[in-house]
Amino acid sequence: MTSAASPRSVTSDVKLQSTDLRSSIKGSVCEPGDQGYDLHKWSPYSTKPSKIVVTPEETEDISKAIKFARSHGFPLAVVGGGHSTSTASATEGLLINMSKMNKIRVDQENQIGYIQAGAQTRDVEVELIKYGLAACVGSCSQLSVGGYTLMGGYGYSTGTYGLAADNLISGTVVLATGEIVQASGSENPDLLWGLRGGGSNFGVVAELGVKLHPQRPDVYSISYVYLPSQLPAVVDAMNEWLPVRKDNAGIILFITLSPDGNPCIVVNGISNSTQEEGEATYKRLADLGQFFLISPSTIDPFMSAPFTPLAAKFRTAKLALNM
């Protein structure tokens, strides 16, 4: 997601008068102490005590929120899925929470998805697979399409289709003035160019038009968990795998703590393929052996049921790892 700076700084004697804003928008307006005031994000260290939180339900709500922030001298920030570990999507002024801007429209004939910026990976995958299609989305189910795409968007499909930003073909953008504009190859193409690689501060993107791609209903996925002592062998296996990997496969390595507090090495991977091809793809990592179960009921590193929807598999893995 993107943020737009306020022309004036907040002063201590500014009194928030949000009654008109509350009555003029379809979404909600919350201040500290109100029911529904929620600053929760994936990282508790990435929040700031916002004076007001606006949760829009339509693009016009975003415009009104921006104009309100400008008129009261409040700095502005935008939060999508709340997955950022920085405070870029937090503010002590007015925070726009895009969580209810999550509608998805599909142009099946032209294979284009029109996805509101607050839609998350899990929402997008569940909807698009109904059409046998997929978008370039994040490897975590809670990532919002807006923030993920505008910041580049590297994921399991990057090897085949490029970054998420490469697949962005249009956007509905609310500028710092509150004006709502379209960015595409024919309208404001310079703005689209900026959105496809420039990141933040061009405006608040309400909806993205993205290329869609044919998608089989199932994928082969792995979640291998290793002991810390195996890290050199794991890295060597990954380095051997990378030069020969196929475009339809990807892996992510991270180091975390298991529920009992002990460090562990986790390798998650997706092969957009059959079970047979997937097993061959990750054989180097499987052959390392001695990976262990964090919770036998929630993670099976040996993938006894290898065909699973991407978001569901990795949501289970993240929860089991207490991520």
Side-chain angles (χ1 to χ4, degrees):
M1 221 68 57
T2 61
S3 60
S6 168
R8 302 201 303 266
S9 60
V10 178
T11 57
S12 59
D13 61 345
V14 172
K15 183 178 180 180
L16 180 63
Q17 300 291 335
S18 61
T19 303
D20 291 343
L21 182 61
R22 291 175 189 267
S23 62
S24 68
I25 71 170
K26 184 177 181 181
S28 63
V29 178
C30 293
E31 298 175 70
D34 290 348
Q35 184 176 3
Y37 179 84
D38 184 9
L39 299 177
H40 174 76
K41 292 175 66 179
W42 184 70
S43 169
Y45 306 105
S46 62
T47 63
K48 292 182 180 180
S50 301
K51 287 183 171 59
I52 183 168
V53 177
V54 177
T55 304
E57 294 187 19
E58 59 186 14
T59 304
E60 289 74 12
D61 289 354
I62 300 172
S63 175
K64 292 172 183 177
I66 291 175
K67 291 176 180 178
F68 180 87
R70 288 178 62 90
S71 66
H72 287 76
F74 283 99
L76 184 71
V78 186
V79 61
H83 204 266
S84 172
T85 56
S86 78
T87 55
S89 55
T91 179
E92 294 181 358
L94 187 147
L95 179 68
I96 297 179
N97 183 331
M98 297 292 286
S99 60
K100 290 188 177 180
M101 295 283 291
N102 56 13
K103 294 182 177 62
I104 301 166
R105 298 180 291 118
V106 177
D107 180 346
Q108 190 172 11
E109 180 179 355
N110 294 306
Q111 295 191 355
I112 299 173
Y114 297 96
I115 305 172
Q116 289 188 331
Q120 298 183 10
T121 295
R122 57 189 169 209
D123 306 320
V124 176
E125 288 182 332
V126 168
E127 181 62 23
L128 296 186
I129 198 62
K130 298 175 184 177
Y131 303 89
L133 297 169
C136 294
V137 293
S139 60
C140 177
S141 63
Q142 300 107 344
L143 288 173
S144 73
V145 168
Y148 172 77
T149 302
L150 296 176
M151 299 310 294
Y154 178 86
Y156 289 108
S157 61
T158 296
T160 306
Y161 303 120
L163 298 174
D166 297 329
N167 290 267
L168 178 65
I169 59 175
S170 67
T172 300
V173 186
V174 188
L175 303 180
T177 60
E179 181 185 2
I180 301 170
V181 301
Q182 298 298 317
S184 67
S186 58
E187 295 182 78
N188 301 302
D190 54 339
L191 178 56
L192 177 64
W193 179 85
L195 297 176
R196 284 169 54 93
S200 305
N201 295 315
F202 293 100
V204 180
V205 178
E207 183 180 75
L208 303 89
V210 299
K211 296 177 186 176
L212 302 181
H213 307 282
Q215 175 60 48
R216 55 183 295 119
D218 301 294
V219 296
Y220 185 87
S221 60
I222 63 166
S223 286
Y224 292 163
V225 186
Y226 302 93
L227 297 169
S229 60
Q230 293 178 281
L231 180 59
V234 172
V235 172
D236 287 344
M238 291 177 64
N239 286 334
E240 293 172 0
W241 175 80
L242 285 170
V244 298
R245 76 174 184 90
K246 295 183 178 180
D247 288 345
N248 65 347
I251 52 177
I252 294 176
L253 178 149
F254 56 94
I255 300 173
T256 187
L257 296 178
S258 63
D260 61 6
N262 291 317
C264 59
I265 314 301
V266 179
V267 175
N268 285 343
I270 287 288
S271 176
N272 198 358
S273 67
T274 63
Q275 178 177 355
E276 181 181 13
E277 184 180 339
E279 289 175 346
T281 294
Y282 298 116
K283 186 175 186 302
R284 284 178 176 83
L285 290 163
D287 286 348
L288 294 178
Q290 300 199 17
F291 32 80
F292 62 95
L293 296 174
I294 289 179
S295 172
S297 63
T298 53
I299 292 184
D300 178 7
F302 293 96
M303 291 294 110
S304 57
F307 288 102
T308 57
L310 186 155
K313 167 56 66 180
F314 286 99
R315 182 162 62 253
T316 302
K318 297 285 187 184
L319 291 173
L321 288 167
N322 195 28
M323 291 295 291

